[in-house]
Amino acid sequence: MQHRIAVVGGDGIGPEVVAEALKVIEAAGAKVAVENFSLGAAHYLATGEVLEEETLAKLRGYDAILLGAIGPAIGSTDVPPGILERGLLLKLRFELDLYINERPFLTLDASSTTTRKQADFVVIRENTEGTYAGEGGFLRRDTPHEVATQGSVNTRMGVERAIRHAFEVASGRPRRHLTLVHKTNVLTYAGDLWARAFASVAKEFPAVATSYNHVDAACIYLVEDPGRYDVIVTDNLFGDILTDLAAAVTQGIGYAASGNLNPARTGPSMFEPVHGAAHDRAGTGGANPYAAIRSAAMMMRFLGEDEVASRVERAIGVLPPSGLDTRKIGDFYAERVS
């Protein structure tokens, strides 16, 4: 079966790592029809456009979106903060109802990590609510008495569907364990909703063991022993922070993949490496395409291509030999899957 994939290479190293990801999944047997979309910092600077409604409507017609990286070079002031984040990335999440952000973490070589410990876990982050929903504003702006508020929006539907997805993921893993991470002792309204929804959904999954950690404690545990976790579910802001830490204590940000999922399949899901555009590495061969390759494997599994996904996952279960450039890393994994 051929799948129609919208590819947003984006900025910096984005197009390079996406090219290697596509090469690897095609070597594994994926049949994809690709259309490239020019979006990101470079596109904004050239056209003044971020994400036009016409482009968004076209993206809705694809089976999935594969994104490389978005953003200007570090230190650049050409693109105002928030323009791409809210106008492109968050807009895609909200408009396509990508309410799950799923990020798997795997230690390939414990001796090369900060913790020196093995880990294999998944973080499920609620992806369309919380402090990222955009509720808030200014009062008496640019005066000595300025007030800025940034609310956290948590609906029962949004919280519960994220938690249910996390239980489904945990039920399919050998350890069958799910940890809720929040700050219920201080965030007594949002935290209470999350805790009650978690306890309610847990009754539907009696085979899954559960636990709770405050988010600050979870940070400590990730640093001390990330292998203690199997699946974590948390809100949008905590998930954003925890997954960067999770990448740092496992194999590194260059190995962190993600899927922005619409499990209801009312629109295409979007898959992307967690790392940024790394403009300084663009064109040097110094970009690591691993995270993009794993993101593409997640995409194929979500599209029902389990054999293709399994071939890629088996292939990327080892680190590539040192000294390989971007293209040769892609070649290394493409040879392993074929």
Side-chain angles (χ1 to χ4, degrees), residues 10-204:
D11 302 306
I13 64 172
E16 299 172 34
V17 297
V18 163
E20 300 309 313
L22 290 170
K23 177 168 67 181
V24 172
I25 63 170
E26 288 174 342
K31 295 179 175 60
V32 294
V34 169
E35 182 171 352
N36 290 288
F37 285 78
S38 180
L39 295 169
H43 179 73
Y44 171 76
L45 292 173
T47 66
E49 299 175 353
V50 181
L51 178 60
E52 297 297 294
E53 292 303 316
E54 181 181 351
T55 303
L56 177 61
K58 193 171 182 180
L59 287 171
R60 292 182 190 276
Y62 287 82
D63 298 317
I65 302 168
L66 183 61
L67 172 67
I70 294 294
I74 293 176
S76 170
T77 59
D78 294 336
V79 182
I83 290 290
L84 297 176
E85 292 83 358
R86 299 211 69 88
L88 176 55
L89 297 177
L90 292 185
K91 186 174 181 177
L92 285 170
R93 293 177 188 176
F94 296 150
E95 292 292 333
L96 301 178
D97 202 17
L98 307 179
Y99 59 87
I100 296 294
N101 185 274
E102 183 170 318
R103 297 186 177 182
F105 297 93
L106 175 67
T107 303
L108 300 173
D109 177 12
S111 68
S112 66
T113 68
T114 58
T115 64
R116 302 293 192 271
K117 293 184 179 180
Q118 197 72 30
D120 180 0
F121 62 96
V122 179
V123 178
I124 303 299
R125 163 188 169 191
E126 197 290 316
N127 210 33
T128 58
E129 295 189 349
T131 52
Y132 288 28
E135 191 276 332
F138 294 100
L139 179 65
R140 297 187 292 273
R141 183 169 180 167
D142 294 325
T143 75
H145 305 288
E146 180 172 353
V147 177
T149 62
Q150 192 81 57
S152 178
V153 177
N154 299 265
T155 68
R156 180 67 184 229
M157 182 193 75
V159 169
E160 191 169 291
R161 65 184 183 175
I163 289 171
R164 180 167 285 105
H165 181 81
F167 270 103
E168 291 169 352
V169 171
S171 66
R173 290 171 60 86
R175 291 167 61 185
R176 294 183 180 178
H177 190 278
L178 177 61
T179 303
L180 169 64
V181 172
H182 210 279
K183 191 69 174 173
T184 56
N185 59 337
V186 176
L187 304 178
T188 52
Y189 300 120
D192 184 68
L193 171 56
W194 274 85
R196 285 185 288 110
F198 188 81
S200 177
V201 177
K203 296 174 184 177
E204 303 173 24

